[in-house]
Amino acid sequence: MKEYIATALGAGIVGFLPFLNLNPQPNTPAGSPSPAPIPRLQKPPVIQLQQSTKPTKRHRIQVQVISLNDLKIAEGSDVVAGQIISDRTEERQSLEAERKQIENSIQQLSIPTSKLAELPEPNFAIEEAAIQQIKDELQLMEAHSVAPAPETSFRFKDETLRKLLEAKQLEERAEAITAEANNRTKLAESKARLVGQLNSAIAALNKAKSNYQHQQYEHSLNLVRQQSEMQRQQYQIASLVGQKQEIEGKLREITQIKSPVAGKVRRIKNLGQKDRQINLEVVIDVQ
C-alpha cells in the first residue's frame, strides 16, 4: 500500500500570511525612525509526497528435473497455490512402461510347467511267455524222441529157412534204421529251429530290458533338465522382482512439485547439473 505524508504545518502558515497586516502606518511624524522594511513574501513551499514501499516477499523453491520440458512454468508467469511447478512426466512414463514389461515377463515365467510323467513299470510278459513256450516245446520234443529198436536174432535149424528169414529180418532192420535216422534228422532240425527261436526270444527279452534301462536314463536326464529349468526360472523371477522394486523406488522419488504460494515467477535459476538431473531454483514474488 502507498501512503502520502503532507507537511500540514507549512501549508497552514502559507495560507495564513495574506491575512497578516504588514503595511506601513500613515501620518508618521517627521524625524521618527523609519519603519522596518516589509519582508517580501516568499514562494509557498512545494508540498512533497513521500511514497512508502513495503518490501516484496519472495519464496524460493528448488526442483530437480531431467528435461526442461518437465518444468511447467516460465519466468513472468503467474502461479496460484497448489499449481504444478514441475513434473517429470517423460521419466515416469518410461519407468511405468518398463515396470509393465517386467510384470509381463514375471507372469510368463510364473506359468507352471507340465510335470514330467513317471515311467511305467516294466512289463516283459510277452517276451517271457514266448521263451517259456519254446522251452515247453523242447521238453515235449525230448519226451517223444524215437527210441532205437532192439536188435533181435533168430536161429533156425533149417538152413534154408534160416537164410530166408534172416534176409527178411535184415531188410526190415535196414528199413527201421533208415526210418529212425529220418526221424532223428527231423527231430534234430525241429530242435535246432526251436533253439534258434529260443535264442531270438531271449535276445528280444534282453533288448526290451535294455530299452527300458535307456528310458530310465533319459527320464533321469529329463528330470535334471526340468529341475535346472525351474531353478533358472526362479532365479530370473527373483532378478525381475528386484528390478521391479528398484523401478517402483524411482517412481516414488518422482513427485510433482507444487507451488505453496500464489504470486509471479520472478526468476528460474540453473543451480547446476549432476548426471542427468538438472537442479533449478524458482523464485516467486508472493502476492
Side-chain angles (χ1 to χ4, degrees):
M1 296 180 59
K2 296 182 179 180
E3 291 183 352
Y4 295 93
I5 305 173
T7 56
L9 180 60
I13 293 174
V14 172
F16 183 71
L17 284 177
F19 299 99
L20 294 177
N21 186 8
L22 298 178
N23 293 326
Q25 297 292 329
N27 300 322
T28 302
S32 296
S34 301
I38 300 173
R40 299 179 60 184
L41 294 177
Q42 298 180 353
K43 294 181 180 181
V46 179
I47 299 175
Q48 295 182 353
L49 300 178
Q50 296 181 354
Q51 181 178 359
S52 177
T53 58
K54 186 178 181 179
T56 304
K57 184 178 179 181
R58 292 176 182 171
H59 190 83
R60 302 175 186 272
I61 305 172
Q62 292 189 359
V63 297
Q64 293 81 34
V65 296
I66 301 299
S67 170
L68 293 179
N69 294 330
D70 297 336
L71 199 62
K72 307 305 179 183
I73 57 173
E75 290 184 353
S77 62
D78 294 328
V79 295
V80 297
Q83 180 177 340
I84 296 175
I85 294 178
S86 69
D87 186 9
R88 290 149 64 174
T89 308
E90 295 180 0
E91 185 180 7
R92 178 186 289 105
Q93 291 175 349
S94 177
L95 289 174
E96 288 177 349
E98 188 175 355
R99 181 179 63 179
K100 183 63 176 178
Q101 184 178 2
I102 291 176
E103 289 175 349
N104 293 336
S105 299
I106 293 175
Q107 185 178 3
Q108 291 178 357
L109 289 172
S110 300
I111 298 176
T113 57
S114 58
K115 187 177 180 180
L116 194 63
E118 296 291 338
L119 279 179
E121 292 295 327
N123 187 0
F124 308 115
I126 297 177
E127 291 80 2
E128 292 173 350
I131 292 174
Q132 188 60 43
Q133 182 179 357
I134 295 172
K135 287 182 177 180
D136 292 342
E137 290 182 3
L138 284 174
Q139 290 179 358
L140 185 62
M141 186 176 293
E142 292 291 340
H144 289 80
S145 297
V146 179
E151 295 184 358
T152 57
S153 60
F154 298 93
R155 293 185 177 280
F156 299 93
K157 294 181 179 180
D158 187 347
E159 186 67 18
T160 302
L161 185 59
R162 183 174 63 82
K163 289 180 179 180
L164 180 61
L165 293 176
E166 285 182 357
K168 185 177 181 181
Q169 190 179 34
L170 290 174
E171 184 178 355
E172 291 177 354
R173 179 60 181 170
E175 291 177 355
I177 292 174
T178 301
E180 182 181 353
N182 292 334
N183 290 335
R184 288 185 179 277
T185 301
K186 293 179 180 180
L187 183 62
E189 291 176 352
S190 298
K191 187 175 181 179
R193 176 177 56 80
L194 290 176
V195 170
Q197 292 177 355
L198 178 61
N199 292 334
S200 298
I202 294 174
L205 176 60
N206 292 334
K207 183 179 180 180
K209 291 181 178 180
S210 177
N211 290 339
Y212 184 77
Q213 291 177 353
H214 182 71
Q215 290 177 1
Q216 285 181 317
Y217 175 74
E218 290 291 336
H219 187 265
S220 62
L221 288 181
N222 291 333
L223 283 176
V224 172
R225 293 191 191 100
Q226 188 180 58
Q227 292 175 355
S228 299
E229 181 65 19
M230 292 175 63
Q231 291 176 356
R232 185 184 67 85
Q233 289 180 355
Q234 293 298 325
Y235 174 79
Q236 289 180 340
I237 290 174
S239 177
L240 290 173
V241 169
Q243 295 178 23
K244 179 184 175 183
Q245 292 175 348
E246 182 178 355
I247 290 175
E248 289 176 345
K250 292 181 179 179
L251 285 172
R252 285 192 295 269
E253 293 176 357
I254 300 176
T255 57
Q256 292 180 340
I257 304 300
K258 299 181 180 180
S259 175
V261 296
K264 178 175 288 188
V265 179
R266 177 181 180 87
R267 182 181 58 187
I268 299 176
K269 182 179 179 181
N270 189 345
L271 301 179
Q273 181 173 351
K274 183 178 180 181
D275 297 332
R276 295 175 57 242
Q277 184 169 285
I278 304 172
N279 296 317
L280 302 174
E281 182 184 62
V282 179
V283 181
I284 301 175
D285 290 341
V286 181
Q287 293 179 352

